[in-house]
Amino acid sequence: GQQLNQSPQSMFIQEGEDVSMNCTSSSIFNTWLWYKQDPGEGPVLLIALYKAGELTSNGRLTAQFGITRKDSFLNISASIPSDVGIYFCAGTDAGNNRKLIWGLGTSLAVNP
Amino acid sequence: DAGITQSPRHKVTETGTPVTLRCHQTENHRYMYWYRQDPGHGLRLIHYSYGVKDTDKGEVSDGYSVSRSKTEDFLLTLESATSSQTSVYFCAISDLGAQRQETQYFGPGTRLLVL
């Protein structure tokens, strides 16, 4: 099935640094979602985006729905140790708004 | 947190045995999903349900069946477990919100080991 191109695959940063990750698709998307998964847990929704150009924040997290509707990014400012985990992007394309298409995740490690 | 529970949380079974995983929600959401998560593959949809007794296949449905007799429960059955079905299984729920767009919420997962 179709998958999103999510990058980078992994990141190792120092506490306090800003982080940026992104996802691209080959088709136009109607929804972009960003999830975080901690070890042994299910993905937790961080931010949901529904309109092209939309910029939404959730605390230190900011995500944007790209104008072309084929990409999205997630930024984390002033990283802290509890930001460690795997971040996934997901979305729905025009063909089926009930099934999510997923990226393979960005693994984030934060050095205190 | 969305009210989603999965049982069991961990299971070890032998090849050829039947296994049923349960997902229970208290949110009265219409849609429910079963995913499996494996290294290098991310999350892959097995089956989903869009209402009581209404289900459809996802991208990796072979070897799995589902049933939904009540809004709150969605069962995933491996009729005859194989080692390739060793995975972490997640249930998710959704309902069209104010934006009329898909947003899914996940359960804590079930770790299944097939020996």
Side-chain angles (χ1 to χ4, degrees), chain A residues 91-109:
Chain A
T92 56
D93 66 14
N96 189 331
N97 69 349
R98 290 255 56 94
K99 296 181 183 178
L100 289 179
I101 299 167
W102 291 84
L104 293 182
T106 294
S107 178
L108 178 64

Side-chain angles (χ1 to χ4, degrees), chain B residues 35-51:
Chain B
Y35 289 89
R36 60 178 290 174
Q37 186 176 37
D38 306 287
H41 291 278
L43 284 152
R44 293 182 291 175
L45 183 65
I46 305 172
H47 282 281
Y48 68 103
S49 169
Y50 45 96

Side-chain angles (χ1 to χ4, degrees), chain A residues 1 3 30-31 33 35 37 39-43 45 48 50-51 88 92 96-100 102-104, chain B residues 9 31 33 35 37 40-43 45 48 57 59 90 94 96 99-108 111:
Chain A
Q3 273 181 340
N30 295 327
T31 306
L33 307 173
Y35 290 86
Q37 186 175 26
E41 302 292 334
L45 182 67
Y50 302 111
K51 298 179 182 177
F88 290 96
T92 56
N96 189 331
N97 69 349
R98 290 255 56 94
K99 296 181 183 178
L100 289 179
W102 291 84
L104 293 182
Chain B
R9 292 295 312 277
Y31 299 91
Y33 306 80
Y35 289 89
Q37 186 176 37
H41 291 278
L43 284 152
L45 183 65
Y48 68 103
K57 295 179 180 179
E59 62 179 305
F90 288 102
S94 76
L96 291 179
Q99 298 282 354
R100 311 300 296 169
Q101 296 286 3
E102 177 73 5
T103 305
Q104 293 183 12
Y105 301 91
F106 284 78
R111 292 184 175 273

Side-chain angles (χ1 to χ4, degrees), chain A residues 4-111:
Chain A
L4 298 174
N5 183 17
Q6 185 172 352
S7 64
Q9 186 175 2
S10 62
M11 303 179 74
F12 186 84
I13 62 171
Q14 295 295 121
E15 183 176 358
E17 289 184 357
D18 296 342
V19 173
S20 184
M21 58 191 78
N22 68 82
C23 269
T24 59
S25 66
S26 57
S27 59
I28 291 174
F29 269 38
N30 295 327
T31 306
W32 285 98
L33 307 173
W34 286 94
Y35 290 86
K36 183 192 178 199
Q37 186 175 26
D38 292 326
E41 302 292 334
V44 174
L45 182 67
L46 299 174
I47 293 178
L49 303 161
Y50 302 111
K51 298 179 182 177
E54 182 179 358
L55 183 72
T56 297
S57 294
N58 178 5
R60 294 178 295 105
L61 279 61
T62 302
Q64 186 161 28
F65 192 139
I67 281 292
T68 65
R69 297 175 63 190
K70 292 185 176 182
D71 63 341
S72 177
F73 71 75
L74 174 70
N75 288 342
I76 305 173
S77 63
S79 60
I80 59 178
S82 63
D83 289 334
V84 166
I86 302 177
Y87 292 79
F88 290 96
C89 62
T92 56
D93 66 14
N96 189 331
N97 69 349
R98 290 255 56 94
K99 296 181 183 178
L100 289 179
I101 299 167
W102 291 84
L104 293 182
T106 294
S107 178
L108 178 64
V110 179
N111 189 30

